[in-house]
Amino acid sequence: MIKNCCMISTWKMSLLGMKRAAPLLKRNVPVHEAILMAVKTVEDDPAISSVGYGGLPNLNGEVELDATYMNGDTLGFGGVMSVKNIKNPIEVAFDLSHYQRNCLLSDIGATRYAQSKGFAFQNMLSPESKKRYDQTDKMRDSEMLEAYKEHDTVCVIGMDHRRSMACGVSTSGLFLKMPGRVGDSPIIGSGLYADSEVGCAAATGVGEDIMKGCLSFSIVEKMRNGMDPQTACETALQQHLQRFLRCNHSCGSISVIAMDCYGNAGAATTLSAFPFVVTDQNFSTQLYVASNIGGKISIFQPDQGWLNSYRGD
């Protein structure tokens, strides 16, 4: 368990965004400003091929995006799914989180809403993404699609000086997914869950498998019942995998992060290496790695040698 945290996020790709968000929290801004900064930094980076501009296309060669935001104080949430050419889906998700109804919109409805509110639009298919799509076999079995080939969903959990907590998530989903496919990311309880009275959790990986266990809600409920975030992450993931074994289901890759209302954080994964980023209460931002070797989870800070050998994001 990592103590004295104010933010935690998934993947090494979130490091720059977290470093940009930390000074905002230091100035005592509301937590949503820091989360939006961290997520938008990833969405705007064309070198990141699983989120926002430059995201990997669906089977038709279109970049379809999903994003969600949840307010831990009010339990309000907003989300968009299967949207095209919205520059920063997380902004629209945050805006929708202020509504009690009609807060989760898809496809053309979400697009028209974003247009009516003046959000920015652009072609989200970068030249590099189009090249990768053109050079990839389209006849692969869609049932065998896997996450993490080029990293995956960005999830950011934060807590501000008022102890208000929230979580934001953004992704382009699985590469060569069927048009209209939606994973766990925009579904609260699965892709994310936030409750300022307890804590927040978020997930990244194969969404269909994450949704089968409502993993983020499961982790938060375990924290509500007294588990620390690290134990909650490991227990929820292990119970989920054991249930899959009992029904002979081969589970896709999954990683989870969590932070409680006291600033303790944890992570768990099915991978041998899952990098994640933590900003502490002194607003210093560091990279960590969760590793699963033989079912045992360990957390460590990578040295330069490890970073040089890492071939992920």
Side-chain angles (χ1 to χ4, degrees):
M1 183 173 68
I2 304 169
K3 299 182 178 181
N4 300 317
C5 307
C6 64
M7 295 186 80
I8 181 172
S9 62
T10 55
W11 303 110
K12 180 173 171 283
M13 66 182 176
S14 66
L15 183 60
L16 176 59
M18 291 282 279
K19 287 183 175 180
R20 289 179 175 175
L24 299 181
L25 287 181
K26 190 174 183 178
R27 298 203 302 267
N28 291 337
V29 304
V31 66
H32 75 266
E33 294 189 29
I35 290 175
L36 291 182
M37 172 61 76
V39 175
K40 285 169 59 178
T41 298
V42 180
E43 288 180 335
D44 291 341
D45 189 342
I48 295 171
S49 62
S50 58
V51 179
Y53 178 60
L56 292 175
N58 64 17
L59 194 57
N60 288 349
E62 300 172 303
V63 177
E64 286 185 316
L65 304 170
D66 306 322
T68 327
Y69 181 91
M70 187 168 184
N71 182 324
D73 290 350
T74 66
L75 305 186
F77 72 96
V80 295
M81 58 181 75
S82 296
V83 298
K84 305 179 187 72
N85 299 325
I86 295 178
K87 182 177 183 293
N88 292 112
I90 191 62
E91 289 187 328
V92 186
F94 171 70
D95 195 71
L96 286 165
S97 72
H98 296 89
Y99 293 89
Q100 294 296 314
R101 304 287 186 272
N102 302 299
C103 56
L104 182 60
L105 302 179
S106 66
D107 197 12
I108 191 64
T111 298
R112 288 174 176 169
Y113 175 83
Q115 289 170 335
S116 73
K117 298 299 287 282
F119 288 103
F121 280 71
Q122 71 176 46
N123 182 358
M124 301 301 280
L125 183 65
S126 70
E128 180 59 33
S129 288
K130 185 178 187 307
K131 179 180 178 181
R132 191 171 302 181
Y133 172 81
D134 290 340
Q135 294 177 345
T136 302
D137 175 19
K138 316 302 188 300
M139 301 303 293
R140 295 182 299 174
D141 182 358
S142 64
E143 288 293 281
M144 302 302 291
L145 294 180
E146 182 58 84
Y148 300 159
K149 296 300 183 184
E150 296 293 338
H151 43 272
D152 199 68
T153 305
V154 61
C155 311
V156 180
I157 294 168
M159 179 170 61
D160 63 23
H161 66 288
R162 300 173 304 152
R163 318 285 302 177
S164 292
M165 300 189 74
C167 184
V169 170
S170 186
T171 188
S172 61
L174 296 178
F175 184 30
L176 299 181
K177 64 187 178 182
M178 291 182 64
R181 177 264 185 188
V182 176
D184 66 299
S185 296
I187 309 301
I188 67 164
S190 290
L192 78 171
Y193 198 78
D195 184 343
S196 297
E197 293 184 355
V198 182
C200 303
T204 172
V206 177
E208 289 82 355
D209 288 341
I210 291 168
M211 287 188 282
K212 289 182 174 77
C214 300
L215 270 183
S216 294
F217 183 75
S218 175
I219 292 167
V220 172
E221 285 304 286
K222 284 174 170 47
M223 292 192 293
R224 192 188 307 276
N225 291 323
M227 284 189 187
D228 65 80
Q230 185 60 45
T231 304
C233 285
E234 293 185 30
T235 302
L237 183 56
Q238 184 59 31
Q239 289 176 346
H240 193 44
L241 296 176
Q242 289 297 321
R243 180 64 182 90
F244 279 174
L245 284 176
R246 293 196 296 275
C247 61
N248 297 315
H249 175 65
S250 178
C251 182
S253 303
I254 297 175
S255 300
V256 293
I257 57 171
M259 187 168 73
D260 67 19
C261 60
Y262 305 106
N264 302 309
T269 185
T270 62
L271 303 176
S272 60
F274 163 55
F276 63 98
V277 181
V278 171
T279 298
D280 65 26
Q281 292 177 2
N282 293 317
F283 310 106
S284 174
T285 300
Q286 303 291 332
L287 183 69
Y288 287 80
V289 177
S291 177
N292 186 331
I293 305 297
K296 180 175 176 56
I297 305 292
S298 60
I299 305 291
F300 63 91
Q301 284 189 273
D303 59 20
Q304 194 58 52
W306 188 95
L307 292 171
N308 290 341
S309 65
Y310 179 58
R311 293 294 177 262
D313 63 315

